[in-house]
mmCIF file of all heavy atoms in Angstrom:
data_model
loop_
_atom_site.group_PDB
_atom_site.id
_atom_site.type_symbol
_atom_site.label_atom_id
_atom_site.label_comp_id
_atom_site.label_asym_id
_atom_site.label_seq_id
_atom_site.Cartn_x
_atom_site.Cartn_y
_atom_site.Cartn_z
ATOM 1 N N ALA A 8 -5.490 14.191 -4.874
ATOM 2 C CA ALA A 8 -6.066 13.789 -6.155
ATOM 3 C C ALA A 8 -5.715 12.388 -6.588
ATOM 4 O O ALA A 8 -6.504 11.775 -7.375
ATOM 5 C CB ALA A 8 -5.619 14.802 -7.209
ATOM 6 N N ALA A 9 -4.692 11.739 -6.073
ATOM 7 C CA ALA A 9 -4.220 10.487 -6.529
ATOM 8 C C ALA A 9 -4.630 9.299 -5.691
ATOM 9 O O ALA A 9 -4.770 8.225 -6.141
ATOM 10 C CB ALA A 9 -2.675 10.488 -6.696
ATOM 11 N N THR A 10 -4.825 9.589 -4.374
ATOM 12 C CA THR A 10 -4.968 8.464 -3.433
ATOM 13 C C THR A 10 -5.791 8.812 -2.296
ATOM 14 O O THR A 10 -5.861 9.977 -1.880
ATOM 15 C CB THR A 10 -3.657 7.801 -3.068
ATOM 16 O OG1 THR A 10 -3.837 6.590 -2.385
ATOM 17 C CG2 THR A 10 -2.842 8.767 -2.166
ATOM 18 N N LYS A 11 -6.408 7.858 -1.627
ATOM 19 C CA LYS A 11 -7.109 7.990 -0.276
ATOM 20 C C LYS A 11 -6.625 6.864 0.592
ATOM 21 O O LYS A 11 -6.375 5.770 0.147
ATOM 22 C CB LYS A 11 -8.610 7.837 -0.455
ATOM 23 C CG LYS A 11 -9.274 8.846 -1.327
ATOM 24 C CD LYS A 11 -10.792 8.852 -1.246
ATOM 25 C CE LYS A 11 -11.493 7.510 -1.462
ATOM 26 N NZ LYS A 11 -12.884 7.597 -1.549
ATOM 27 N N VAL A 12 -6.386 7.232 1.846
ATOM 28 C CA VAL A 12 -5.878 6.261 2.804
ATOM 29 C C VAL A 12 -6.610 6.329 4.142
ATOM 30 O O VAL A 12 -7.115 7.419 4.428
ATOM 31 C CB VAL A 12 -4.326 6.405 3.082
ATOM 32 C CG1 VAL A 12 -3.523 6.260 1.807
ATOM 33 C CG2 VAL A 12 -4.037 7.714 3.784
ATOM 34 N N ALA A 13 -6.636 5.242 4.846
ATOM 35 C CA ALA A 13 -7.100 5.292 6.245
ATOM 36 C C ALA A 13 -6.245 4.393 7.116
ATOM 37 O O ALA A 13 -5.770 3.324 6.647
ATOM 38 C CB ALA A 13 -8.511 4.729 6.281
ATOM 39 N N TYR A 14 -5.780 4.888 8.212
ATOM 40 C CA TYR A 14 -5.069 4.135 9.229
ATOM 41 C C TYR A 14 -6.017 3.815 10.328
ATOM 42 O O TYR A 14 -6.700 4.701 10.803
ATOM 43 C CB TYR A 14 -3.928 4.938 9.793
ATOM 44 C CG TYR A 14 -2.728 5.256 8.928
ATOM 45 C CD1 TYR A 14 -2.688 4.799 7.554
ATOM 46 C CD2 TYR A 14 -1.651 5.875 9.405
ATOM 47 C CE1 TYR A 14 -1.599 5.130 6.783
ATOM 48 C CE2 TYR A 14 -0.545 6.209 8.593
ATOM 49 C CZ TYR A 14 -0.472 5.742 7.310
ATOM 50 O OH TYR A 14 0.571 6.032 6.472
ATOM 51 N N LEU A 15 -5.889 2.574 10.792
ATOM 52 C CA LEU A 15 -6.747 2.156 11.867
ATOM 53 C C LEU A 15 -5.972 1.467 12.995
ATOM 54 O O LEU A 15 -4.891 0.859 12.691
ATOM 55 C CB LEU A 15 -7.848 1.134 11.355
ATOM 56 C CG LEU A 15 -8.939 1.721 10.458
ATOM 57 C CD1 LEU A 15 -8.414 1.653 9.031
ATOM 58 C CD2 LEU A 15 -10.187 1.068 10.599
ATOM 59 N N GLU A 16 -6.443 1.524 14.201
ATOM 60 C CA GLU A 16 -5.873 0.791 15.318
ATOM 61 C C GLU A 16 -6.778 -0.389 15.600
ATOM 62 O O GLU A 16 -8.009 -0.277 15.461
ATOM 63 C CB GLU A 16 -5.826 1.738 16.598
ATOM 64 C CG GLU A 16 -4.871 2.852 16.502
ATOM 65 C CD GLU A 16 -5.019 3.747 17.741
ATOM 66 O OE1 GLU A 16 -6.121 3.848 18.418
ATOM 67 O OE2 GLU A 16 -4.049 4.336 18.080
ATOM 68 N N ALA A 17 -6.186 -1.420 16.082
ATOM 69 C CA ALA A 17 -6.936 -2.620 16.373
ATOM 70 C C ALA A 17 -6.771 -2.846 17.951
ATOM 71 O O ALA A 17 -5.659 -2.630 18.526
ATOM 72 C CB ALA A 17 -6.412 -3.873 15.739
ATOM 73 N N PRO A 18 -7.785 -3.244 18.621
ATOM 74 C CA PRO A 18 -7.716 -3.444 20.071
ATOM 75 C C PRO A 18 -6.602 -4.455 20.343
ATOM 76 O O PRO A 18 -6.496 -5.525 19.711
ATOM 77 C CB PRO A 18 -9.057 -4.007 20.460
ATOM 78 C CG PRO A 18 -9.998 -3.713 19.305
ATOM 79 C CD PRO A 18 -9.155 -3.572 18.157
ATOM 80 N N GLY A 19 -5.773 -4.145 21.334
ATOM 81 C CA GLY A 19 -4.719 -5.061 21.771
ATOM 82 C C GLY A 19 -3.480 -5.116 20.848
ATOM 83 O O GLY A 19 -2.544 -5.897 21.093
ATOM 84 N N GLU A 20 -3.440 -4.222 19.818
ATOM 85 C CA GLU A 20 -2.328 -4.251 18.961
ATOM 86 C C GLU A 20 -1.611 -2.883 18.987
ATOM 87 O O GLU A 20 -1.635 -2.070 18.049
ATOM 88 C CB GLU A 20 -2.847 -4.514 17.454
ATOM 89 C CG GLU A 20 -3.375 -5.840 17.246
ATOM 90 C CD GLU A 20 -2.327 -6.978 17.270
ATOM 91 O OE1 GLU A 20 -1.204 -6.705 17.001
ATOM 92 O OE2 GLU A 20 -2.716 -8.108 17.544
ATOM 93 N N LYS A 21 -0.981 -2.597 20.134
ATOM 94 C CA LYS A 21 -0.323 -1.346 20.241
ATOM 95 C C LYS A 21 0.997 -1.282 19.380
ATOM 96 O O LYS A 21 1.664 -2.263 19.193
ATOM 97 C CB LYS A 21 0.066 -1.145 21.696
ATOM 98 C CG LYS A 21 -1.093 -0.913 22.579
ATOM 99 C CD LYS A 21 -0.797 -0.287 23.906
ATOM 100 C CE LYS A 21 -2.001 -0.090 24.740
ATOM 101 N NZ LYS A 21 -2.584 1.150 24.632
ATOM 102 N N GLY A 22 1.266 -0.111 18.930
ATOM 103 C CA GLY A 22 2.563 0.140 18.233
ATOM 104 C C GLY A 22 2.504 -0.137 16.677
ATOM 105 O O GLY A 22 3.509 0.112 16.013
ATOM 106 N N VAL A 23 1.475 -0.627 16.160
ATOM 107 C CA VAL A 23 1.312 -0.794 14.685
ATOM 108 C C VAL A 23 -0.034 -0.329 14.232
ATOM 109 O O VAL A 23 -1.050 -0.621 14.930
ATOM 110 C CB VAL A 23 1.609 -2.229 14.245
ATOM 111 C CG1 VAL A 23 0.596 -3.192 14.745
ATOM 112 C CG2 VAL A 23 1.827 -2.258 12.761
ATOM 113 N N LEU A 24 -0.080 0.327 13.112
ATOM 114 C CA LEU A 24 -1.395 0.741 12.516
ATOM 115 C C LEU A 24 -1.639 -0.147 11.278
ATOM 116 O O LEU A 24 -0.704 -0.806 10.762
ATOM 117 C CB LEU A 24 -1.294 2.150 12.076
ATOM 118 C CG LEU A 24 -1.168 3.201 13.277
ATOM 119 C CD1 LEU A 24 -0.991 4.573 12.762
ATOM 120 C CD2 LEU A 24 -2.392 3.110 14.209
ATOM 121 N N PHE A 25 -2.918 -0.193 10.974
ATOM 122 C CA PHE A 25 -3.349 -0.974 9.758
ATOM 123 C C PHE A 25 -3.868 0.066 8.764
ATOM 124 O O PHE A 25 -4.743 0.846 9.075
ATOM 125 C CB PHE A 25 -4.389 -2.015 10.198
ATOM 126 C CG PHE A 25 -3.925 -2.932 11.247
ATOM 127 C CD1 PHE A 25 -4.002 -2.679 12.574
ATOM 128 C CD2 PHE A 25 -3.301 -4.141 10.794
ATOM 129 C CE1 PHE A 25 -3.506 -3.499 13.568
ATOM 130 C CE2 PHE A 25 -2.791 -5.037 11.792
ATOM 131 C CZ PHE A 25 -2.841 -4.740 13.158
ATOM 132 N N GLU A 26 -3.297 0.014 7.612
ATOM 133 C CA GLU A 26 -3.614 1.006 6.572
ATOM 134 C C GLU A 26 -4.384 0.308 5.403
ATOM 135 O O GLU A 26 -3.984 -0.712 5.026
ATOM 136 C CB GLU A 26 -2.355 1.733 6.054
ATOM 137 C CG GLU A 26 -2.730 2.740 4.935
ATOM 138 C CD GLU A 26 -1.472 3.349 4.350
ATOM 139 O OE1 GLU A 26 -0.383 2.711 4.418
ATOM 140 O OE2 GLU A 26 -1.579 4.447 3.765
ATOM 141 N N PHE A 27 -5.359 1.098 4.866
ATOM 142 C CA PHE A 27 -5.971 0.584 3.625
ATOM 143 C C PHE A 27 -5.825 1.801 2.656
ATOM 144 O O PHE A 27 -5.928 2.992 2.984
ATOM 145 C CB PHE A 27 -7.441 0.326 3.912
ATOM 146 C CG PHE A 27 -7.680 -0.853 4.892
ATOM 147 C CD1 PHE A 27 -8.041 -0.560 6.113
ATOM 148 C CD2 PHE A 27 -7.385 -2.059 4.458
ATOM 149 C CE1 PHE A 27 -8.219 -1.637 7.000
ATOM 150 C CE2 PHE A 27 -7.576 -3.173 5.384
ATOM 151 C CZ PHE A 27 -7.936 -2.891 6.690
ATOM 152 N N ILE A 28 -5.497 1.432 1.393
ATOM 153 C CA ILE A 28 -5.155 2.379 0.362
ATOM 154 C C ILE A 28 -6.002 2.213 -0.859
ATOM 155 O O ILE A 28 -6.186 1.120 -1.331
ATOM 156 C CB ILE A 28 -3.722 2.195 -0.073
ATOM 157 C CG1 ILE A 28 -2.762 2.189 1.195
ATOM 158 C CG2 ILE A 28 -3.303 3.261 -1.101
ATOM 159 C CD1 ILE A 28 -1.384 1.588 0.804
ATOM 160 N N GLU A 29 -6.626 3.298 -1.344
ATOM 161 C CA GLU A 29 -7.403 3.285 -2.592
ATOM 162 C C GLU A 29 -6.899 4.422 -3.505
ATOM 163 O O GLU A 29 -6.640 5.518 -3.089
ATOM 164 C CB GLU A 29 -8.833 3.549 -2.298
ATOM 165 C CG GLU A 29 -9.738 3.603 -3.545
ATOM 166 C CD GLU A 29 -11.132 4.076 -3.305
ATOM 167 O OE1 GLU A 29 -11.621 4.023 -2.084
ATOM 168 O OE2 GLU A 29 -11.810 4.586 -4.187
ATOM 169 N N GLY A 30 -6.713 4.103 -4.761
ATOM 170 C CA GLY A 30 -6.305 5.069 -5.719
ATOM 171 C C GLY A 30 -6.211 4.440 -7.103
ATOM 172 O O GLY A 30 -5.791 3.259 -7.251
ATOM 173 N N GLU A 31 -6.788 5.158 -8.138
ATOM 174 C CA GLU A 31 -6.769 4.604 -9.420
ATOM 175 C C GLU A 31 -5.415 4.160 -9.919
ATOM 176 O O GLU A 31 -5.217 3.092 -10.510
ATOM 177 C CB GLU A 31 -7.382 5.577 -10.436
ATOM 178 C CG GLU A 31 -8.892 5.664 -10.365
ATOM 179 C CD GLU A 31 -9.457 6.494 -11.508
ATOM 180 O OE1 GLU A 31 -8.944 6.434 -12.622
ATOM 181 O OE2 GLU A 31 -10.458 7.186 -11.260
ATOM 182 N N GLY A 32 -4.354 4.977 -9.742
ATOM 183 C CA GLY A 32 -3.057 4.651 -10.224
ATOM 184 C C GLY A 32 -2.243 3.827 -9.260
ATOM 185 O O GLY A 32 -1.155 3.235 -9.593
ATOM 186 N N THR A 33 -2.725 3.640 -8.098
ATOM 187 C CA THR A 33 -1.967 2.966 -6.969
ATOM 188 C C THR A 33 -1.786 1.509 -7.403
ATOM 189 O O THR A 33 -0.682 0.923 -7.271
ATOM 190 C CB THR A 33 -2.600 3.094 -5.620
ATOM 191 O OG1 THR A 33 -2.795 4.489 -5.345
ATOM 192 C CG2 THR A 33 -1.832 2.385 -4.531
ATOM 193 N N ARG A 34 -2.756 0.796 -7.814
ATOM 194 C CA ARG A 34 -2.664 -0.628 -8.141
ATOM 195 C C ARG A 34 -1.706 -0.785 -9.283
ATOM 196 O O ARG A 34 -0.846 -1.667 -9.234
ATOM 197 C CB ARG A 34 -4.079 -1.225 -8.477
ATOM 198 C CG ARG A 34 -3.968 -2.700 -8.609
ATOM 199 C CD ARG A 34 -5.350 -3.359 -8.519
ATOM 200 N NE ARG A 34 -6.175 -3.063 -7.328
ATOM 201 C CZ ARG A 34 -6.051 -3.649 -6.114
ATOM 202 N NH1 ARG A 34 -5.229 -4.606 -5.946
ATOM 203 N NH2 ARG A 34 -6.831 -3.312 -5.206
ATOM 204 N N GLN A 35 -1.797 0.095 -10.268
ATOM 205 C CA GLN A 35 -0.830 0.001 -11.393
ATOM 206 C C GLN A 35 0.591 0.235 -10.949
ATOM 207 O O GLN A 35 1.556 -0.366 -11.391
ATOM 208 C CB GLN A 35 -1.252 1.024 -12.493
ATOM 209 C CG GLN A 35 -0.387 0.868 -13.754
ATOM 210 C CD GLN A 35 -0.552 -0.442 -14.460
ATOM 211 O OE1 GLN A 35 -1.626 -1.147 -14.353
ATOM 212 N NE2 GLN A 35 0.429 -0.968 -15.026
ATOM 213 N N LEU A 36 0.796 1.237 -10.030
ATOM 214 C CA LEU A 36 2.115 1.540 -9.430
ATOM 215 C C LEU A 36 2.648 0.191 -8.804
ATOM 216 O O LEU A 36 3.908 -0.088 -9.003
ATOM 217 C CB LEU A 36 2.034 2.694 -8.399
ATOM 218 C CG LEU A 36 3.331 2.936 -7.663
ATOM 219 C CD1 LEU A 36 4.385 3.558 -8.553
ATOM 220 C CD2 LEU A 36 3.015 3.849 -6.469
ATOM 221 N N PHE A 37 1.831 -0.497 -8.081
ATOM 222 C CA PHE A 37 2.290 -1.798 -7.427
ATOM 223 C C PHE A 37 2.632 -2.784 -8.508
ATOM 224 O O PHE A 37 3.650 -3.467 -8.319
ATOM 225 C CB PHE A 37 1.161 -2.293 -6.454
ATOM 226 C CG PHE A 37 1.293 -1.719 -5.058
ATOM 227 C CD1 PHE A 37 0.925 -0.444 -4.811
ATOM 228 C CD2 PHE A 37 1.655 -2.625 -4.058
ATOM 229 C CE1 PHE A 37 0.981 0.064 -3.546
ATOM 230 C CE2 PHE A 37 1.752 -2.161 -2.789
ATOM 231 C CZ PHE A 37 1.375 -0.781 -2.485
ATOM 232 N N ILE A 38 1.869 -3.000 -9.530
ATOM 233 C CA ILE A 38 2.143 -3.890 -10.559
ATOM 234 C C ILE A 38 3.494 -3.582 -11.230
ATOM 235 O O ILE A 38 4.282 -4.443 -11.386
ATOM 236 C CB ILE A 38 1.020 -3.953 -11.604
ATOM 237 C CG1 ILE A 38 -0.229 -4.539 -10.965
ATOM 238 C CG2 ILE A 38 1.360 -4.730 -12.849
ATOM 239 C CD1 ILE A 38 -1.507 -4.372 -11.811
ATOM 240 N N GLU A 39 3.608 -2.342 -11.586
ATOM 241 C CA GLU A 39 4.971 -1.954 -12.206
ATOM 242 C C GLU A 39 6.104 -2.048 -11.262
ATOM 243 O O GLU A 39 7.168 -2.413 -11.711
ATOM 244 C CB GLU A 39 4.785 -0.513 -12.778
ATOM 245 C CG GLU A 39 3.795 -0.369 -13.927
ATOM 246 C CD GLU A 39 3.480 1.034 -14.325
ATOM 247 O OE1 GLU A 39 4.147 1.941 -13.792
ATOM 248 O OE2 GLU A 39 2.588 1.216 -15.137
ATOM 249 N N GLY A 40 5.929 -1.661 -10.057
ATOM 250 C CA GLY A 40 7.006 -1.763 -9.074
ATOM 251 C C GLY A 40 7.450 -3.136 -8.795
ATOM 252 O O GLY A 40 8.671 -3.453 -8.690
ATOM 253 N N ARG A 41 6.477 -3.998 -8.610
ATOM 254 C CA ARG A 41 6.858 -5.485 -8.478
ATOM 255 C C ARG A 41 7.648 -6.038 -9.672
ATOM 256 O O ARG A 41 8.581 -6.794 -9.451
ATOM 257 C CB ARG A 41 5.500 -6.304 -8.279
ATOM 258 C CG ARG A 41 4.826 -6.078 -6.926
ATOM 259 C CD ARG A 41 3.465 -6.708 -6.833
ATOM 260 N NE ARG A 41 2.947 -6.488 -5.544
ATOM 261 C CZ ARG A 41 1.637 -6.358 -5.318
ATOM 262 N NH1 ARG A 41 0.765 -6.494 -6.333
ATOM 263 N NH2 ARG A 41 1.156 -6.236 -4.090
ATOM 264 N N ALA A 42 7.203 -5.703 -10.829
ATOM 265 C CA ALA A 42 7.826 -6.188 -12.075
ATOM 266 C C ALA A 42 9.278 -5.586 -12.175
ATOM 267 O O ALA A 42 10.245 -6.339 -12.461
ATOM 268 C CB ALA A 42 7.077 -5.778 -13.276
ATOM 269 N N ALA A 43 9.383 -4.321 -11.813
ATOM 270 C CA ALA A 43 10.768 -3.710 -11.875
ATOM 271 C C ALA A 43 11.673 -4.319 -10.913
ATOM 272 O O ALA A 43 12.872 -4.556 -11.136
ATOM 273 C CB ALA A 43 10.597 -2.197 -11.664
ATOM 274 N N ALA A 44 11.189 -4.662 -9.739
ATOM 275 C CA ALA A 44 12.049 -5.197 -8.652
ATOM 276 C C ALA A 44 12.565 -6.601 -9.077
ATOM 277 O O ALA A 44 13.676 -6.963 -8.782
ATOM 278 C CB ALA A 44 11.291 -5.330 -7.389
ATOM 279 N N LYS A 45 11.739 -7.369 -9.785
ATOM 280 C CA LYS A 45 12.112 -8.716 -10.217
ATOM 281 C C LYS A 45 13.228 -8.757 -11.296
ATOM 282 O O LYS A 45 13.917 -9.725 -11.309
ATOM 283 C CB LYS A 45 10.819 -9.500 -10.655
ATOM 284 C CG LYS A 45 9.922 -9.810 -9.529
ATOM 285 C CD LYS A 45 8.666 -10.500 -9.983
ATOM 286 C CE LYS A 45 7.838 -10.814 -8.717
ATOM 287 N NZ LYS A 45 6.474 -11.236 -8.995
ATOM 288 N N THR A 46 13.338 -7.680 -12.059
ATOM 289 C CA THR A 46 14.310 -7.681 -13.086
ATOM 290 C C THR A 46 15.405 -6.677 -12.923
ATOM 291 O O THR A 46 16.159 -6.453 -13.746
ATOM 292 C CB THR A 46 13.564 -7.369 -14.431
ATOM 293 O OG1 THR A 46 12.938 -6.067 -14.363
ATOM 294 C CG2 THR A 46 12.556 -8.434 -14.761
ATOM 295 N N TRP A 47 15.420 -5.964 -11.733
ATOM 296 C CA TRP A 47 16.356 -4.904 -11.448
ATOM 297 C C TRP A 47 17.710 -5.399 -11.401
ATOM 298 O O TRP A 47 18.041 -6.402 -10.658
ATOM 299 C CB TRP A 47 15.990 -4.220 -10.120
ATOM 300 C CG TRP A 47 16.764 -2.990 -9.842
ATOM 301 C CD1 TRP A 47 16.942 -1.954 -10.636
ATOM 302 C CD2 TRP A 47 17.520 -2.686 -8.605
ATOM 303 N NE1 TRP A 47 17.714 -0.964 -10.011
ATOM 304 C CE2 TRP A 47 18.103 -1.462 -8.754
ATOM 305 C CE3 TRP A 47 17.694 -3.398 -7.438
ATOM 306 C CZ2 TRP A 47 18.938 -0.880 -7.749
ATOM 307 C CZ3 TRP A 47 18.496 -2.832 -6.471
ATOM 308 C CH2 TRP A 47 19.035 -1.649 -6.597
ATOM 309 N N ASP A 48 18.620 -4.751 -12.160
ATOM 310 C CA ASP A 48 20.073 -5.187 -12.242
ATOM 311 C C ASP A 48 20.994 -4.243 -11.382
ATOM 312 O O ASP A 48 22.182 -4.378 -11.444
ATOM 313 C CB ASP A 48 20.524 -5.171 -13.657
ATOM 314 C CG ASP A 48 20.451 -3.765 -14.312
ATOM 315 O OD1 ASP A 48 20.116 -2.786 -13.633
ATOM 316 O OD2 ASP A 48 20.798 -3.694 -15.520
#
């Protein structure tokens, strides 16, 4: 209900996947998380 993701492989790039993330609250979570990390004591 909160998010959709897709993992993809790229030719010649073994061992790592490329993920794309969509979700209404996800972008806000990132904004809040970045801000919290910058001021975390």
